[in-house]
Every structure is written in structure tokens, then in C-alpha cells.
Amino acid sequence: MNIADKTKHEEKLIASLINLPTRDRNKIIRNQPLTMQEKRKIKKKVNMEKQKSANQSIQLNYCTQCLTHYRHFKSVTSEFFQSLDVWQRTLKIIGSKFGTSVLSYFSFLTWLLKFNIFSFIVNFSFIIIPQLTDPKPNNLSFTGLELLTGAGSFQQTVLYYGFYTNSTIKHKGSNTSYNMQLAYIFTIGLYLVICFFSLLYSMACSFRNNFINPHVYSRGTAKLVFSWDFTITREKAVKLKQRNLTTELKENLSEIRHENVITPLKQRLSRFCIHLAAWIVSTGVAIACCAAVYFLAFNNMKFLREHKNQAATLLLPFLVCCFNLFVPLFYSSFGLVEKFEIPRHQVLVIIIRNIFLKISIIGILCYYWLNSIAVSHEECWETLIGQDIYRLLMMNFLFTLFDSIFGEFLRRIIGTKLIKSLGVPEFDIARNVLELIYTQTLLWIGIFFAPLLPFIHMITLFIMLNVKRISLMMNCLPPSKVWRASQMMTLFIFLLFFPSFTGVLCVLAITVWRLKPSAQCGPFQGLPSIIHAIYGWIEILSNRPSYLWVVWIYRNLIGSVHFFFILTLIVVIITYLYWQIIEGRKIMIKLLHEQIINEGKDKMFLVEKLLKLQESQKKTNTFPLAQERREQEVSLKWSKDGHLFILDKREWSEGTKVNLEDM
């Protein structure tokens, strides 16, 4: 097709799309055999032509204009964030080689990285930058050990709570002021509210895509067979797409095969006993680890008073990270005995055991921070808690790097050179996912005591993403049992929401409402509790008539128990509706499946009848030719007027009239 024909075809397409609804128009453009750049160009031209025709005709009403602008803004925003997704190609390569099970971990990691970038932007804009305009002198020298301990010269920086002022920041030469107390508590509170709704929205979208949509139950057959993207022309992209489709086919076929396997009763009983013993052992180990952490935590302050050096502060984080590293490895070894048929079940069991261990350890540490450090009458107990959380994050990061660089590498060397029966290791999805949830939980707790923690965690996640990717490609093999993990992302976000985020809200609520702030440091020094900063602000606004609406919102919504009760009730109702929708879809798919089976049986019955009829006709054709001629014999009778009649043995029928003269 030359340029002129292509231009005419494009003009005809644009003319036909102008009067169509937005949904139909986007669908037609999406189905065109063009590149994404050409599709966007056509879409832009259609929008421009439609805008011209709209300006010439009657002006649209206000609601329609708002809806149009919203859709345009949504489209532009979506394209902008897609252009920023620099890990898209990396994720495609991982998914094509290792399947969706390993891909779910890296998707979750990149999602958390974007989440922490947003956290850093919020804190840096409203807390850190205003404080940097009113700096304080730092008299401590940098030794290098601060990178691990978070103490020393880091203590007098914007990293920790104690560095921030409790006064109103005023700039010279202007009448503007910045209340640091309100900025600190409102920024943290607003960030937690955004996190709450973001987690709910992400969980709902993932739940809808992976549980509710009908294509989930069709096992992706239509996508695998009929959805080749013909705009792909590069050889590398074609091979990558082929490997993706091949991996998806393997996953779907593997899941169908596992569903059709029926194990005998004796084997099921033996497996139940093995699983029960594994659960008893894992629970006992978790309780022993929690008891050890409790003992170490409550003797830690006494140990630190006896040893004044910074390295002594690393003892508790080191032991906690040892538990978090080696106990999950011990849990993973249970798979050699339990031998799950479906890999998803093994991952779920390991995740439940690990989440019980890690959340229990975090709970004990929070109890230690709120009931020992916070009431110890230290000079700035908020900074001490921030330093503990910093040390835990940094030590966990080092342990993770050690496990990825040396652990998986040595495991591959041993499996390929020394003990070849072990083979090359597989990527442990459950253990790595729980590490991400564990560190994100610590970050959410520490964001109040160390506002700069999201920046540090953002850097560690970026390094971890690249290290894990390289280690996966060099040291690990694709899963020996291929399985589909499209629904694992929903589980990961749910675990991040509960018990992780809900537990964080409880800890911060106790900190804000129950604990007394330090008297000599931080933005809330001198107050009975942190929440009294808002109480005082509301009292000031209640004396100003122009701000009474803010007072009404606080007293009737934010400060009302009934509002949060109604909000919780709405969330529960929405969750129940989603659950009923998925149950209804399952019943619908089951009925349709039965209907397809019945229609197949009907077709088989008709095919059998046709085969029997064909066999009977073949038998009649085996008689001698003479007999066949006799059966098909036709009697002729001439009429007096010269007409010819054809007389069959079954019936008389008037044939073609033939004139005797013509014959």
C-alpha cells in the first residue's frame, strides 16, 4: 500500500469513527493492524475532528464536558505512567522464561518500589524541605559506621523525628509561616489514608481481574490461540512473545492435569499426618524464635548501657535477621517431606508459616518499643525507635544480598559440581515475598519516627530488584512443576493490607493517642500526647467563623466513631458483594460447562445414528446389479394421445410428455 492509499484509508477510518461512541471507537482503533504510535495518532486526530464538529454544533452540557476531560486526563496519565515503566521488558523476559509464578514476585517488588517513590515524594515535599529551610547545626563527625547503625552523626539530621522543630517556621521578608506540628501529623496521616485506599483499590482490581472476569475460568484458551499481535515485527520480540505463549500453555495444561488426579484414601491419610506434623514443628519453632526475641529485646537496653559503642546496637537486629533468614529456609525444606501435588498449595502453606513468624516478631518488637523504650525516660525515645527500625532494615537488606549473591550461587555450585543430585536451585517465591512484606511493614511503622526512611528503602528495593534478577538468570532454573500464578498477586496485596498495614495502624494509633512525646526533642515536645496538637488547632479554628466548616468536618467525620463504623461497614459490604459475584460466576461457569458436555453428548448420539444409517445403506448396495435394476425397474405405458407415463413400482407419476413424432 503506497502513501496515498494509506492516507485515504486513514481519512475514511477517521470519518467513520467520529460519530461512534467512545467505547466502540477505542475498540475499533485497538483492533487495527497498526503500531501503537499509529493508533495513538489516529485517536488524536479523531478527537481533534470531533472537537471541531462539537464547536460548530451546540455546546455540550457541563457534565459531558467534565466526563470527556476526565477520560482524556486518564488516558494521558496512563500513557505517561506506562512510559515510566522501565522494568516492563525485564518482567516480560522473566515471565517468558520462568512463568507467572516467579513473575508475580518481581511484579510485586516493582509495585512496592513505585509505592515507596510516592511515599518519599510526599514526605520530602511537606516535611523535609520545610525543615531544611530552618537548619540546625550538626556537631557530630561522620565515621562510616552510621550507615549500619543509623546513630552518630545521622542522629542530628532530617532522617529522625528528634531533629524537627516544634515551632512555626517563618521566612524573613514575608508574612508566610509553616506550622511544623500540623505539617508533620497531617502529612503522615494523609499518607496512611492514601495507602489505605490504594491498597483497597489495588486489591479490588487484582481480585476483579484474577477471580471475577470470565476469561479466568476459560484458562486463557482464546488468548493463547487467537490473540497473536501481528504488529510485532522484530525477531527478538517475536521470540519473546512465543516463549510467553508457550509458558502459559504449559501452566494451563499443568493445572488441568492436577485437577483430574484422584489420590486414594490411604495416601490422603498419610499426607494429612505428614502435614499435621510439619505444622506442629513449624509452630513450635516460631514460638521458640518469638520467645528468644522477647528475651533479647527486653535485655537489650541493659546491654547497651554496659557497652557504649555503636557496634553493640547491631546485636538485636543481627539475631532477628538470623531468625528471619534461616527459619524460612528450614520451613522450605519441609517440601521434601510433604510433597505437594499442586505447587500453589506449597507456596500458600510456606507463606502462612512465614507470615506467622515474621508478624509475631514484629509484634514483639513493637511491644518492646512502646512499653520499654517509650517509657524509659530517655532524652528522645522516638529517635531511638527510628534508629532500631533503620538498623533492622539495613541488616535485613545485607542478609538478603548475602543470600542472593552467595547463597544461591553456592547452592548452584554444589548442585552442579559436588552433589549433582541436588541440581540447580529453584527460586523460592514464598520466602522472598515475605521478606518484602516484612520490610514494608517495618517501613510503615518507622515512617513516623524517621520520615526519610522511604528514600532509603527505595534505594534498597532498586538494588534488590537488579540483584535478584541477575541471580535468578544465573543461578536458578524455571520451576520443575509448571503452575499458573495469576491469582498470587491478589494474595500478596491482601497480606500487605492484613495483617501488615492494619497492624501498623494500631501501633501508630497507640503512639499518637496514648504515649507522651519527648519533652526536649521533636515537633510535639511539651504536649500531653501527639493528638493534642490537633485538638489545639481545632480550638483555634472554632473561634474563627470562616473556618467553622473545618471544625464540623473534624468533629462529625474524622473525630466521630460512627463515621469510621459506617466506613468499615461499607468496606465489608463491598467485600461481601465481590465474594457473592465470584461465587455466582463459579456457578454460572459450572452450569455452562455442564451444558457444553450435554451438547457434546447430543452430537455424539447424532453421529452414531448417522454412522448406523450409512452402514445400512452400504449393506443394501451389496446386492447384485440385476437385483438393483429389478428394484429400480420402471414400467412404461403409452397413452392414446401420444403421452408417455413413467410407472414406478411404488407409485404412478405422470412423466414428461413426449410426442411420438419427435421420437
Side-chain angles (χ1 to χ4, degrees):
M1 184 184 291
N2 54 26
I3 300 176
D5 294 338
K6 190 175 182 180
T7 306
K8 289 181 181 179
H9 175 72
E10 186 177 316
E11 291 176 355
K12 289 181 180 179
L13 180 62
I14 293 172
S16 62
L17 292 174
I18 291 175
N19 297 323
L20 291 178
T22 306
R23 182 179 297 177
D24 296 340
R25 186 168 64 247
N26 293 336
K27 186 176 181 181
I28 293 172
I29 295 174
R30 196 181 304 120
N31 294 332
Q32 293 295 317
L34 303 170
T35 61
M36 289 300 298
Q37 186 176 2
E38 291 174 341
K39 289 179 181 179
R40 289 172 183 166
K41 185 178 178 182
I42 290 175
K43 187 176 180 181
K44 187 176 180 180
K45 287 184 178 180
V46 171
N47 290 332
M48 290 174 63
E49 292 294 331
K50 194 170 182 181
Q51 189 174 3
K52 289 180 182 178
S53 61
N55 292 334
Q56 293 173 0
S57 60
I58 302 173
Q59 188 177 5
L60 296 173
N61 56 49
Y62 182 74
C63 295
T64 308
Q65 287 183 358
C66 292
L67 185 61
T68 304
H69 291 311
Y70 169 73
R71 287 175 177 172
H72 178 68
F73 173 76
K74 185 178 179 182
S75 176
V76 172
T77 307
S78 178
E79 291 178 1
F80 174 72
F81 281 111
Q82 285 179 3
S83 64
L84 293 178
D85 196 353
V86 295
W87 306 284
Q88 190 172 7
R89 178 172 174 78
T90 302
L91 295 179
K92 285 183 178 180
I93 294 172
I94 293 172
S96 65
K97 187 175 181 180
F98 295 90
T100 57
S101 54
V102 178
L103 178 63
S104 61
Y105 165 78
F106 285 91
S107 299
F108 186 57
L109 198 157
T110 54
W111 185 82
L112 282 179
L113 181 56
K114 296 173 187 176
F115 206 78
N116 283 280
I117 290 174
F118 167 75
S119 307
F120 166 70
I121 292 173
V122 171
N123 282 5
F124 188 76
S125 302
F126 298 102
I127 297 179
I128 298 172
I129 289 179
Q131 182 60 48
L132 289 175
T133 60
D134 185 25
K136 296 180 181 178
N138 190 347
N139 301 321
L140 300 176
S141 60
F142 180 75
T143 61
L145 194 60
E146 291 91 341
L147 295 174
L148 283 178
T149 62
S153 61
F154 281 5
Q155 187 171 350
Q156 296 182 5
T157 61
V158 291
L159 177 60
Y160 294 117
Y161 166 92
F163 183 77
Y164 293 87
T165 181
N166 65 332
S167 61
T168 301
I169 299 174
K170 295 182 179 180
H171 297 283
K172 297 179 179 179
S174 63
N175 296 324
T176 58
S177 60
Y178 197 83
N179 192 322
M180 203 61 201
Q181 283 187 348
L182 298 180
Y184 199 96
I185 192 169
F186 278 130
T187 301
I188 301 295
L190 183 62
Y191 165 72
L192 293 175
V193 170
I194 293 173
C195 288
F196 177 80
F197 286 106
S198 298
L199 288 172
L200 280 182
Y201 177 76
S202 300
M203 195 161 46
C205 290
S206 182
F207 187 82
R208 180 192 62 201
N209 295 331
N210 297 319
F211 286 91
I212 295 178
N213 286 346
H215 69 80
V216 175
Y217 306 100
S218 66
R219 308 204 184 271
T221 306
K223 177 184 177 183
L224 292 172
V225 180
F226 304 110
S227 65
W228 181 260
D229 190 355
F230 289 95
T231 60
I232 298 176
T233 55
R234 290 186 301 173
E235 185 178 355
K236 289 184 178 180
V238 170
K239 290 182 178 180
L240 183 61
K241 184 70 174 179
Q242 288 174 346
R243 288 197 310 186
N244 272 313
L245 292 176
T246 304
T247 307
E248 288 189 36
L249 273 173
K250 289 180 181 178
E251 291 171 351
N252 285 285
L253 293 175
S254 174
E255 189 164 299
I256 293 171
R257 182 174 62 83
H258 286 308
E259 288 180 356
N260 295 328
V261 173
I262 300 175
T263 55
L265 179 62
K266 184 178 180 181
Q267 189 176 358
R268 280 185 285 175
L269 288 175
S270 63
R271 285 182 180 176
F272 175 77
C273 295
I274 293 172
H275 294 331
L276 182 63
W279 274 105
I280 293 173
V281 172
S282 63
T283 306
V285 170
I287 292 173
C289 292
C290 292
V293 171
Y294 180 85
F295 175 78
L296 290 169
F298 280 88
N299 288 278
N300 186 53
M301 294 190 67
K302 182 180 178 182
F303 177 78
L304 293 178
R305 290 191 188 98
E306 296 175 357
H307 301 80
K308 297 294 185 180
N309 57 338
Q310 292 187 34
T313 60
L314 297 174
L315 177 62
L316 179 62
F318 177 79
L319 293 175
V320 170
C321 290
C322 285
F323 289 144
N324 284 327
L325 176 64
F326 295 110
V327 174
L329 289 173
F330 177 66
Y331 287 167
S332 299
S333 66
F334 288 178
L336 300 174
V337 181
E338 293 181 288
K339 295 180 180 178
F340 290 92
E341 286 293 329
I342 301 177
R344 185 190 291 113
H345 293 171
Q346 181 178 358
V347 173
L348 290 175
V349 168
I350 296 176
I351 283 177
I352 293 172
R353 290 169 182 167
N354 285 334
I355 199 73
F356 176 72
L357 170 71
K358 293 179 182 295
I359 295 300
S360 299
I361 290 176
I362 291 177
I364 291 171
L365 290 174
C366 290
Y367 182 78
Y368 159 67
W369 291 328
L370 299 182
N371 290 274
S372 180
I373 293 183
V375 297
S376 61
H377 304 291
E378 293 287 340
E379 183 179 351
C380 194
W381 60 266
E382 295 92 347
T383 298
L384 294 179
I385 294 177
Q387 290 175 353
D388 278 350
I389 296 174
Y390 176 89
R391 287 189 282 266
L392 285 169
L393 287 174
M394 293 305 298
M395 191 64 67
N396 187 81
F397 171 66
L398 294 178
F399 269 69
T400 304
L401 288 182
F402 176 82
D403 179 49
S404 299
I405 297 174
F406 297 103
E408 293 175 354
F409 174 73
L410 292 176
R411 174 74 170 78
R412 180 176 67 85
I413 296 297
I414 293 171
T416 54
K417 303 294 183 181
L418 301 177
I419 309 175
K420 295 186 178 180
S421 59
L422 293 176
V424 181
E426 295 181 8
F427 189 77
D428 196 337
I429 302 166
R431 185 167 58 87
N432 285 282
V433 166
L434 265 297
E435 285 296 326
L436 295 178
I437 295 176
Y438 169 75
T439 53
Q440 188 63 36
T441 306
L442 287 176
L443 172 74
W444 277 331
I445 297 173
I447 198 171
F448 183 84
F449 307 103
L452 202 58
L453 272 184
F455 176 71
I456 298 169
H457 192 50
M458 180 179 69
I459 296 174
T460 58
L461 284 178
F462 181 76
I463 297 173
M464 196 183 303
L465 172 64
N466 292 280
V467 170
K468 287 287 183 183
R469 177 181 60 84
I470 296 171
S471 177
L472 176 71
M473 295 296 181
M474 294 180 60
N475 303 320
C476 298
L477 275 180
S480 57
K481 294 181 179 179
V482 183
W483 56 288
R484 187 165 58 93
S486 59
Q487 298 170 351
M488 293 301 292
M489 190 65 178
T490 308
L491 175 65
F492 298 159
I493 299 176
F494 174 76
L495 291 175
L496 193 63
F497 179 77
F498 180 84
S500 175
F501 185 74
T502 52
V504 169
L505 291 180
C506 295
V507 172
L508 294 181
I510 293 173
T511 305
V512 172
W513 268 273
R514 300 280 302 274
L515 298 181
K516 184 178 180 180
S518 298
Q520 298 178 359
C521 72
F524 305 103
Q525 52 184 297
L527 295 177
S529 63
I530 296 173
I531 194 65
H532 277 77
I534 297 180
Y535 293 161
W537 180 62
I538 293 297
E539 288 296 327
I540 294 173
L541 293 182
S542 61
N543 297 323
R544 299 179 181 178
S546 59
Y547 293 99
L548 290 178
W549 60 276
V550 179
V551 178
W552 185 90
I553 290 175
Y554 174 79
R555 290 176 178 173
N556 293 278
L557 296 180
I558 300 175
S560 174
V561 179
H562 299 90
F563 172 74
F564 288 100
F565 175 76
I566 294 172
L567 186 64
T568 306
L569 190 63
I570 291 172
V571 172
V572 171
I573 291 173
I574 293 173
T575 306
Y576 176 75
L577 289 176
Y578 268 106
W579 182 260
Q580 289 301 313
I581 288 172
I582 186 175
E583 291 297 323
R585 288 290 173 86
K586 285 182 179 180
I587 295 171
M588 180 186 71
I589 296 297
K590 185 179 179 180
L591 293 175
L592 290 174
H593 185 64
E594 292 177 355
Q595 184 178 349
I596 291 172
I597 293 173
N598 293 330
E599 289 181 357
K601 290 179 179 179
D602 293 340
K603 290 179 180 179
M604 290 298 297
F605 176 76
L606 293 174
V607 169
E608 289 177 0
K609 287 293 184 181
L610 287 173
L611 290 175
K612 288 181 180 179
L613 183 60
Q614 288 179 357
E615 289 177 0
S616 62
Q617 288 179 353
K618 286 180 181 179
K619 289 180 180 180
T620 57
N621 292 333
T622 56
F623 286 103
L625 184 60
Q627 181 68 25
E628 183 179 352
R629 287 178 179 176
R630 280 197 298 270
E631 289 179 356
Q632 296 178 356
E633 187 178 11
V634 177
S635 300
L636 299 175
K637 182 178 179 181
W638 295 95
S639 63
K640 293 180 180 180
D641 56 354
H643 293 156
L644 175 65
F645 288 88
I646 300 173
L647 308 174
D648 197 2
K649 67 178 182 178
R650 286 186 293 263
E651 62 179 349
W652 294 84
S653 62
E654 186 177 355
T656 306
K657 293 182 180 181
V658 181
N659 198 314
L660 290 174
E661 296 178 358
D662 295 334
M663 295 182 66

